[in-house]
Amino acid sequence: MAVKRRRTSAFDVAAVAARASRDARGAPAELLDGYLDVLAAISVSGHRIGEDQKRLRHDIGGRAAGMGVALRDLIDLYLTATWLAWPSLPGVGEATGPEGFKAVGEAVFRAADATVVELAEGYEQAQRWSVRQEESFRREFVDDLLDGRNLGHLAERAERYGLRLAASHVVAVVSSPEPFIDGGGVARQVEAALHHRLGSRDVLVTTKDSLLVCVVPETLAGAADEFVRQVGVAVAPGTGWRAGVGRAQSGPGGAVRSFEQARNAVETAGLLGLPGQVHKAVDLLVYQVLLRDSAALAELVSAVLDPLRTARSGARPLLDTLSAYFASGRVATATARELTVGVRTVTYRLHRVKALTGYSVDDPEQAFALQVAVLGAKLTGWPSLPGTGKEGAPRRPAASLPVRAPARQDGSTPRRLEDP
């Protein structure tokens, strides 16, 4: 150690470190942490930098990242210190002839190169860990927000992501056959476009259960509509995506309520095959009323539509005809065009429905019962068994109460007839 002190006393280590710090835009001189002494020793010995020094520089790179020092400034600090110290290194002073200087230069700059590599790797590793940790925190926050967990601690965490949960928020979701992934290209593109166009950071774009989700304050006019528009730009045409928009809800639990409404709007629109790509929860409240008592709905569907199973071709053609008929405003010609069949076929099928079930589309009360039953069939998947594509009896909850089919106007009950 006495030899090292004698050789490094040829230059002022503290002065070199201070000047290197100034030239590196104020990167702390303490990050050098003995580097100049190492250079001085290597300039004499010609040895490579040791493993202990590599680990130290790797750790310093991570420490610099945590301190917020830019990587370019950290590297500048070390390289500036290297060339400032070079003329005063003991090995340079003792070198004789070109070969001597060459040997010292190779040893010193080889050490500098290895040092910079370790600094960069340590810095990048710390950055990756920090990003993963931030992603983990964000994912945990999103799950708590949209699942309604830990509501008492959400408000303080929400500020980190630009949300003020005491205010009212609207949640919009997008579903697609191609699931959305957290941090994926579509999510990043839509989020960047929203921040740019709205001029606000109070917008959270994320994913949940393969859905693309956007949480926006109610006061940010048009934000949900802009989100949907940007999805249309980012997603390839023809992918069959649908969007649902929940109602504005306030408080820490408001986001989860609006999210559930938006998700239900998308699912309901898909089940019913509703036209358009954007569906607002406020426009689908009638369907939510139907779904609220799923047991009663399933009983209604069974009581009204079960006789259609006895038709020669099964219930599906008759059910599709009823669906198209009601969707067209009860116009037989429009129904025929939708189904690509003749008007006489439509008329015949409607008569068969009346003959099998006792319900006529010409009677307002009976037509209403039929229409509600048809909607219920779509919402419950009747008459297909889940996963089979085959007709079968709908699953009925054990605790459900029977729903009696409305009687005909003459007081008789519907009877089942076979197709001729």
Side-chain angles (χ1 to χ4, degrees):
M1 294 299 295
V3 174
K4 179 182 289 188
R5 283 194 297 269
R6 178 177 59 81
R7 287 172 175 169
T8 58
S9 63
F11 67 99
D12 189 338
V13 171
V16 170
R19 181 178 168 186
S21 174
R22 290 194 301 272
D23 288 358
R25 299 195 303 181
E30 59 265 24
L31 291 176
L32 289 171
D33 197 2
Y35 171 67
L36 294 174
D37 290 332
V38 172
L39 281 189
I42 288 177
S43 71
V44 174
S45 67
H47 295 160
R48 294 178 180 271
I49 189 171
E51 292 300 321
D52 56 338
Q53 277 296 319
K54 287 183 178 181
R55 286 192 294 271
L56 175 60
R57 302 307 151 187
H58 189 281
D59 293 344
I60 288 175
R63 192 195 317 167
M67 295 169 62
V69 177
L71 179 58
R72 57 157 289 178
D73 294 336
L74 177 65
I75 294 176
D76 190 19
L77 173 70
Y78 271 77
L79 294 184
T80 299
T82 301
W83 70 259
L84 285 174
W86 168 259
S88 303
L89 291 177
V92 174
E94 297 173 2
T96 56
E99 291 301 321
F101 281 106
K102 179 182 177 182
V104 174
E106 287 179 351
V108 169
F109 293 109
R110 184 170 57 232
D113 177 70
T115 296
V116 168
V117 168
E118 293 297 331
L119 290 169
E121 288 185 354
Y123 191 98
E124 291 171 357
Q125 185 180 61
Q127 289 285 72
R128 288 193 297 270
W129 181 86
S130 178
V131 168
R132 286 195 297 269
Q133 187 179 48
E134 177 60 29
E135 289 175 347
S136 176
F137 288 154
R138 190 176 192 267
R139 183 72 261 168
E140 183 181 357
F141 167 74
V142 167
D143 288 341
D144 286 350
L145 178 69
L146 300 182
D147 287 337
R149 298 194 306 255
N150 301 320
L151 296 181
H153 301 286
L154 273 182
E156 57 191 47
R157 295 159 62 197
E159 294 181 2
R160 183 174 184 177
Y161 304 102
L163 298 180
R164 299 173 181 85
L165 295 185
S168 292
H169 286 82
V170 173
V171 178
V173 306
V174 174
S175 69
S176 172
E178 186 69 26
F180 295 102
I181 60 174
D182 211 14
V186 172
R188 291 198 307 271
Q189 180 178 336
V190 171
E191 184 174 34
L194 280 179
H195 289 163
H196 173 71
R197 296 211 174 244
L198 300 176
S200 172
R201 311 299 293 185
D202 300 340
V203 176
L204 176 66
V205 176
T206 183
T207 61
K208 176 70 173 174
D209 300 335
S210 300
L211 300 170
L212 187 63
V213 181
C214 179
V215 183
V216 297
E218 182 188 15
T219 55
L220 201 56
D225 294 335
E226 182 64 23
F227 165 71
V228 173
R229 196 181 78 80
Q230 292 302 328
V231 170
V233 173
V235 176
T239 54
W241 60 271
R242 292 178 183 270
V245 181
R247 291 178 289 159
Q249 303 285 346
S250 62
V256 64
R257 294 194 296 271
S258 187
F259 169 69
E260 290 298 335
Q261 292 168 356
R263 180 163 62 179
N264 288 337
V266 167
E267 293 174 351
T268 302
L271 289 171
L272 297 176
L274 299 179
Q277 287 184 301
V278 183
H279 308 278
K280 296 184 177 181
V282 68
D283 299 330
L284 303 180
L285 288 176
V286 63
Y287 304 115
Q288 297 305 315
V289 171
L290 291 177
L291 287 170
R292 194 157 293 162
D293 191 344
S294 58
L297 181 62
E299 290 291 342
L300 173 65
V301 171
S302 177
V304 175
L305 300 180
D306 254 3
L308 299 183
R309 296 180 185 278
T310 63
R312 180 181 302 170
S313 301
R316 178 56 59 190
L318 299 179
L319 188 64
D320 290 344
T321 300
L322 285 171
S323 178
Y325 183 72
F326 291 126
S328 68
R330 304 182 186 181
V331 178
T333 53
T335 304
R337 284 196 303 270
E338 175 66 22
L339 298 176
T340 63
V341 298
V343 175
R344 291 183 61 183
T345 300
V346 171
T347 304
Y348 169 77
R349 289 178 180 176
L350 294 177
H351 285 151
R352 293 301 298 147
V353 169
K354 180 180 179 181
L356 292 169
T357 67
Y359 293 90
S360 171
V361 295
D362 297 323
D363 179 272
E365 183 179 350
Q366 294 178 10
F368 176 73
L370 274 174
Q371 186 169 8
V372 173
V374 169
L375 290 174
K378 288 184 176 181
L379 293 171
T380 59
W382 189 94
S384 295
L385 288 171
T388 67
K390 299 178 181 179
E391 291 189 5
R395 290 179 298 179
R396 296 158 65 170
S400 62
L401 297 176
V403 177
R404 187 177 300 278
R408 292 175 173 174
Q409 288 181 323
D410 60 6
S412 62
T413 57
R415 62 188 180 91
R416 301 191 180 201
L417 298 177
E418 295 291 338
D419 281 344

